[in-house]
Amino acid sequence: MCGIVGYIGEKEALPILIQGLRRLEYRGYDSAGVALFSDGKIRRARSVGKIDALAEKIGEEKFLGTLGIAHTRWATHGKVTEENAHPHADCTGKFALVHNGIIENYREIKRELGSSHVFSSETDSEILVHLIESFYKEDLKDAVLRALRHVRGTYGLVIIHADHPKELVVARMGSPLAIGLDNGDYFIASDATPILPYTKRVMYLDDGEVAEIKDGELRVSNLRDEAVNKKVEEIEWNEAQAEKQGFSHFMLKEIFDQPTVFEDAIRGRVYLEEGTAHLGGLNMTEEEMRKISKVIFVACGTASYVGLMGKYMFERLAGIPTEVEIASEFRYRDPVIDEHTLVFAISQSGETADTLAAVREAKRRGAKARGIINVVGSTIAREVDGGTYIHAGPELAVASTKAYTNMVAVVLLYALQFGRLRSLSLATGQRTVKALLEIPRKMEEILKKSDEIRLIAEKYKAHKDFLYLGRGINVGVALEGAMKLKEISYIHAEGLPAGEMKHGTNALLSSEFPVFAIMTDNQLYDKVRSNVEEVRARGSKVVLVANEGDAFAEKLGDDVIFIPKTMEMLEPLLNTIPLQLFAYHMAVILGRDVDRPRNLAKSVTVE
Ligand code: F6R
């Protein structure tokens, strides 16, 4: 999603802004731009395409100055053009503004501004800078505050003005913004990644807050201009954690990170003797936990497939009726919720707009809302009344891998904790914890098969469609396998419960339509096996994920990836890894932009 960078201080702003934009590239974008206060005026440069194109455009001109803003745009209103790229200027050319979010009443505002304003783009963001211009009477922050009182929608914005070379104003409503502080230097960004090389001291703005940085001082207020006291936090992630560490892509590095980050997710949270887990951040008494009568997972995309697995885990281990809701649907339904409903929001970024809206809706209806989140200090993490960080570290590839795995781990720990408080036996609890502790070693074994999986991908590279099948807890794995393949290799793929094939999808089967099936050794093994036989009988090639020593799989599959066995509820932790590797290698073979696939964003902060 669009990225914002800003800087005010003693240093040259341009290199900080350009480097900041590069560090936000993982969010996805289609154009970029900068504006600096330089030689007594605001100078802007914008360009369609990559940051390199923008840097080239600025070239020798070298915008010198210590105040500036920059932006990567991902088109919402208006086409991908230079005119639509940010920063936007007002009629006088003295203001420059970068904006993330959507101004819902921009048409109304444009009408009210009338013909005295000249607009040069099709964006809602440009309307905003003209609105601010219309309220401006020498006080920059005052003009911003007045304008924002007329705005409906979401924004994260940074604005500068040529008559205020020592001032920058930042505001947030629904679009995240962080401010890094370092001895009078201030770094603004949509998330902490661009700030990390300079400082670890960060302040996160909340909705309805405006920060004015003027003459080296930072002051935060609400929209009524009343001062707000803010906390400065220390970020834990270091820069090295965000590097590729020798892997050719972030995605591959993140796939290989999984055994280590999985250990981080469970460390100090599982108890072998008691056969349970304890996640301290839940903020609920045991009595309240026992009274929970329904669990709902709200999430989007990959995180929603984790919710699907969570349904199996919670119903099997804890006996609690559980639902999974795509967050963008949940917010517009009339979910039946009361104070004994526990709503878990699952999100890597903690900024997904639909998931955040679902959390707010759940809270409004009286449910207990808790988070299963990766990014520390993110909006959802701060809005829920408790929950757990999954400790996957920064995930920079757009396609989620290690965060997915750690989400599965934490959901499982919760199911175990609730289960042991209810009727789950000590023996099953202990078996589960023991099996969890064996997972990292088994993951390592699967990762050793990366080259073998690359050869399989090579064999299937000409195919245009893929089907992924699973049953039980592996339905979610099949959906995730299909998601990984389509998002990074652009091959059409579908995930289905294997038993559903005969109700329609069988009609697609032919030698042109290969099928990936998860056929690991669990209570549904025989069912999956007969589904795979049906698929074979219709001419499709079959790639199987099966457990080591399965002689039947050897005969049945055209290709088989053998992996170690684990308990059924833990299978997603292992079974997904071959599918991640298959998608990764396929995307590389097809020459795709693996870490930054087209049309996708890492952090989806608009509805
Ligand atoms: C796919 C992927 C997305 C995200 C989804 C939710 O690989 O990463 O489907 O899972 O956009 O994002 P978060 O988890 O940040 O809420």
Side-chain angles (χ1 to χ4, degrees):
M1 205 45 52
C2 307
I4 284 179
V5 187
Y7 172 75
I8 182 165
E10 298 294 322
K11 301 181 170 57
E12 273 306 324
L14 187 63
I16 295 171
L17 297 174
I18 296 288
Q19 194 200 8
L21 291 182
R22 289 192 201 283
R23 294 180 74 92
L24 289 178
E25 274 191 304
Y26 74 92
R27 298 161 73 96
Y29 67 103
D30 48 45
S31 47
V34 294
L36 257 86
F37 177 77
S38 182
D39 291 338
K41 58 177 189 280
I42 298 291
R43 301 179 71 188
R44 273 194 304 160
R46 296 173 294 167
S47 113
V48 167
K50 299 282 177 193
I51 311 291
D52 287 343
L54 175 69
E56 205 171 293
K57 188 161 183 187
I58 299 168
E60 293 304 298
E61 279 194 68
K62 292 209 179 61
F63 291 7
L64 293 177
T66 58
L67 167 67
I69 57 179
H71 190 265
T72 45
R73 173 174 187 253
W74 203 65
T76 51
H77 288 91
K79 292 185 281 298
V80 181
T81 61
E82 192 175 310
E83 291 71 36
N84 287 341
H86 300 221
H88 287 290
D90 66 320
C91 300
T92 64
K94 288 193 163 190
F95 281 98
L97 166 131
V98 289
H99 164 237
N100 283 355
I102 293 175
I103 306 299
E104 287 166 10
N105 57 337
Y106 79 102
R107 284 196 192 85
E108 240 166 274
I109 297 175
K110 189 172 182 184
R111 225 178 301 119
E112 280 163 23
L113 287 171
S115 55
S116 56
H117 289 260
V118 181
F119 300 98
S120 56
S121 81
E122 305 157 304
T123 65
D124 53 338
S125 308
E126 194 196 1
I127 312 290
L128 188 55
V129 70
H130 285 274
L131 182 67
I132 295 170
E133 177 197 1
S134 74
F135 283 108
Y136 178 69
K137 291 193 190 72
E138 293 181 1
D139 185 334
L140 178 56
K141 191 182 87 175
D142 182 64
V144 173
L145 283 173
R146 284 172 193 273
L148 291 182
R149 289 177 198 135
H150 284 72
V151 162
R152 219 173 45 239
T154 55
Y155 50 80
L157 70 85
V158 190
I159 189 162
I160 56 176
H161 188 282
D163 294 345
H164 301 268
K166 298 236 173 276
E167 183 174 358
L168 170 151
V169 174
V170 188
R172 168 188 168 144
M173 182 68 77
S175 249
L177 278 173
I179 303 175
L181 300 85
D182 182 33
N183 289 327
D185 279 349
Y186 295 91
F187 306 84
I188 295 95
S190 308
D191 66 44
T193 329
I195 298 174
L196 277 174
Y198 308 101
T199 176
K200 288 195 171 359
R201 299 183 64 234
V202 171
M203 172 191 290
Y204 294 97
L205 278 195
D206 284 305
D207 282 352
E209 289 178 351
V210 177
E212 178 190 45
I213 304 168
K214 195 172 175 180
D215 301 322
E217 298 292 329
L218 165 67
R219 202 180 145 258
V220 181
S221 66
N222 59 23
L223 291 176
R224 290 187 300 280
D225 205 16
E226 296 156 343
V228 176
N229 269 335
K230 299 288 292 179
K231 213 171 73 212
V232 176
E233 299 176 27
E234 287 279 327
I235 308 181
E236 287 168 25
W237 295 350
N238 62 33
E239 255 197 281
Q241 277 177 294
E243 294 299 328
K244 277 190 211 147
Q245 291 167 12
F247 287 94
S248 38
H249 296 94
F250 281 116
M251 183 178 176
L252 190 62
K253 172 192 169 286
E254 287 161 8
I255 291 173
F256 275 78
D257 275 347
Q258 288 176 111
T260 314
V261 298
F262 171 82
E263 283 179 340
D264 295 338
I266 65 167
R267 183 172 302 118
R269 293 171 168 175
V270 289
Y271 300 87
L272 186 55
E273 245 172 68
E274 291 96 329
T276 192
H278 183 73
L279 295 157
L282 191 60
N283 291 339
M284 280 167 72
T285 61
E286 289 197 354
E287 163 126 27
E288 283 173 315
M289 289 172 74
R290 283 199 188 89
K291 282 194 182 145
I292 290 298
S293 57
K294 179 157 81 175
V295 169
I296 305 179
F297 289 103
V298 289
C300 299
T302 285
S304 75
Y305 305 149
V306 176
L308 215 56
M309 297 160 194
K311 177 175 167 64
Y312 281 88
M313 294 166 182
F314 262 80
E315 292 185 344
R316 176 79 59 86
L317 301 179
I320 306 176
T322 303
E323 294 170 14
V324 191
E325 276 273 359
I326 302 286
S328 54
E329 292 296 320
F330 179 88
R331 62 186 295 192
Y332 294 115
R333 283 204 309 111
D334 279 319
V336 181
I337 281 176
D338 62 21
E339 78 270 28
H340 301 307
T341 308
L342 173 57
V343 174
F344 276 116
I346 312 179
S347 177
Q348 188 287 128
S349 61
E351 301 293 353
T352 302
D354 287 318
T355 310
L356 175 61
V359 164
R360 289 178 177 158
E361 182 62 16
K363 284 175 76 170
R364 199 180 65 77
R365 287 172 183 262
K368 294 183 168 53
R370 301 292 186 266
I372 296 175
I373 309 285
N374 193 34
V375 177
V376 177
S378 55
T379 309
I380 299 176
R382 285 180 291 126
E383 290 217 4
V384 287
D385 300 316
T388 299
Y389 286 119
I390 62 172
H391 296 326
E395 189 179 64
L396 297 187
V398 164
S400 185
T401 52
K402 61 176 181 170
Y404 155 86
T405 291
N406 277 19
M407 288 170 184
V408 175
V410 167
V411 169
L412 186 80
L413 296 190
Y414 270 126
L416 187 60
Q417 185 174 354
F418 274 86
R420 289 288 292 125
L421 268 184
R422 293 168 173 237
S423 57
L424 188 73
S425 70
L426 173 65
T428 310
Q430 285 175 331
R431 239 171 9 99
T432 309
V433 175
K434 193 160 168 290
L436 273 167
L437 297 173
E438 287 166 0
I439 289 289
R441 183 185 53 76
K442 293 182 176 178
M443 285 177 167
E444 298 283 4
E445 275 183 52
I446 301 172
L447 292 171
K448 284 189 197 137
K449 297 194 172 238
S450 180
D451 284 341
E452 182 189 315
I453 294 170
R454 181 170 48 75
L455 295 178
I456 300 177
E458 188 71 47
K459 231 169 115 177
Y460 290 90
K461 67 180 178 199
H463 286 277
K464 302 274 178 279
D465 305 279
F466 262 91
L467 196 62
Y468 284 73
L469 299 180
R471 290 187 84 141
I473 199 151
N474 286 309
V475 171
V477 174
L479 289 164
E480 175 60 2
M483 170 74 100
K484 288 291 89 97
L485 189 70
K486 57 189 166 188
E487 68 181 323
I488 58 166
S489 75
Y490 315 153
I491 293 175
H492 166 244
E494 276 184 63
L496 264 190
E500 267 293 289
M501 290 294 292
K502 51 189 166 300
H503 301 291
T505 314
N506 269 348
L508 289 174
L509 296 177
S510 76
S511 57
E512 298 303 304
F513 205 145
V515 173
F516 234 107
I518 318 301
M519 200 178 81
T520 37
D521 182 13
N522 57 38
Q523 55 165 346
L524 289 166
Y525 176 86
D526 290 335
K527 303 277 177 210
V528 179
R529 198 172 97 177
S530 50
N531 296 138
V532 173
E533 280 167 344
E534 285 158 26
V535 163
R536 285 292 311 254
R538 285 160 182 82
S540 286
K541 294 240 175 343
V542 174
V543 185
L544 293 176
V545 174
N547 285 136
E548 283 151 359
D550 183 343
F552 199 86
E554 184 88 62
K555 282 193 231 121
L556 189 61
D558 293 275
D559 293 279
V560 188
I561 305 165
F562 286 108
I563 64 168
K565 183 173 161 49
T566 183
M567 276 174 79
E568 187 177 348
M569 288 299 108
L570 279 60
E571 283 190 19
L573 295 166
L574 300 182
N575 295 2
T576 316
I577 298 177
L579 311 187
Q580 295 169 344
L581 285 167
F582 180 79
Y584 170 78
H585 288 302
M586 185 66 93
V588 173
I589 291 165
L590 297 177
R592 310 299 191 219
D593 192 347
V594 175
D595 286 334
R596 287 188 292 273
R598 68 186 181 200
N599 306 338
L600 293 178
K602 183 71 181 161
S603 184
V604 186
T605 53
V606 293
E607 189 179 345

